[in-house]
Amino acid sequence: NVSARRVTDDGEVTPQFWMSASGVDKSALHEIGRDILLVHGYDPTRDVMQLRVPQGVEPRRVSVDAIEHWMIYQHHPDVGAILHIHAWMDGIPATDVNFPCGTAELANSVSKLIDAEPDPAHAVIGLRNHGITATGENLDEVLDRILPRLQLQVPMT
């Protein structure tokens, strides 16, 4: 999945972010509120992400990884985009536990590992037996940085 921080027309950086919907072809993100969702909050009491959807649009489900992206954007205002893929890179810090996707435990673990990186705005973190999450200025910058080192097979331990 992919996400990008929302920046207002006057340049204000917000904690809100645009994120690909669950199950959508990431090369064909077209309809706002259906393919691309605006995440504007998280309700910890109900453990649900809060979306803003245009009137008359029936939204798809937001990615289960939205909570992870939310935590990263909250802690790091300099992160402009996040990419999560099912691939691997050698030599990156990784979660110790294979937490279930979409859980607060996984999101907290990844967020803490990003916090510990020398440059959290340009980090790559492994999710044990699952894939990676990478932060950057924008999605092009993230892809340019990680593609040369990417391994398509995730090691299982």
Side-chain angles (χ1 to χ4, degrees):
N1 55 58
V2 297
S3 70
R5 184 184 294 278
R6 179 176 172 260
V7 178
T8 65
D9 291 338
D10 62 358
E12 176 192 354
V13 174
T14 74
Q16 300 173 357
F17 59 96
W18 296 98
M19 186 169 201
S20 54
S22 181
V24 170
D25 177 356
K26 306 315 184 258
S27 68
L29 300 174
H30 299 293
E31 190 177 350
I32 301 293
R34 213 167 135 63
D35 303 331
I36 306 165
L37 303 169
L38 180 59
V39 179
H40 79 93
Y42 170 67
D43 181 349
T45 59
R46 295 182 16 227
D47 193 28
V48 295
M49 301 309 300
Q50 299 169 328
L51 305 176
R52 289 213 170 122
V53 179
Q55 189 172 8
V57 174
E58 182 65 31
R60 290 192 168 126
R61 187 173 59 85
V62 71
S63 168
V64 296
D65 298 316
I67 185 172
E68 179 183 312
H69 292 228
W70 174 257
M71 286 185 183
I72 294 167
Y73 285 124
Q74 294 300 302
H75 293 152
H76 301 285
D78 49 346
V79 171
I82 301 170
L83 172 68
H84 168 73
I85 56 175
H86 299 145
W88 199 254
M89 290 172 60
D90 283 333
I92 59 172
T95 59
D96 293 332
V97 177
N98 185 13
F99 294 107
C101 292
T103 62
E105 293 85 5
L106 177 60
N108 279 320
S109 182
V110 171
S111 184
K112 286 179 183 175
L113 287 168
I114 288 176
D115 292 347
E117 284 296 284
D119 183 2
H122 299 90
V124 181
I125 301 300
L127 288 67
R128 184 179 177 143
N129 297 338
H130 183 80
I132 64 169
T133 294
T135 62
E137 299 161 27
N138 56 56
L139 292 172
D140 286 336
E141 183 272 326
V142 172
L143 287 168
D144 288 346
R145 186 166 35 88
I146 70 168
L147 279 176
R149 295 182 48 209
L150 212 52
Q151 300 169 15
L152 299 181
Q153 184 73 31
V154 176
M156 304 298 274
T157 56

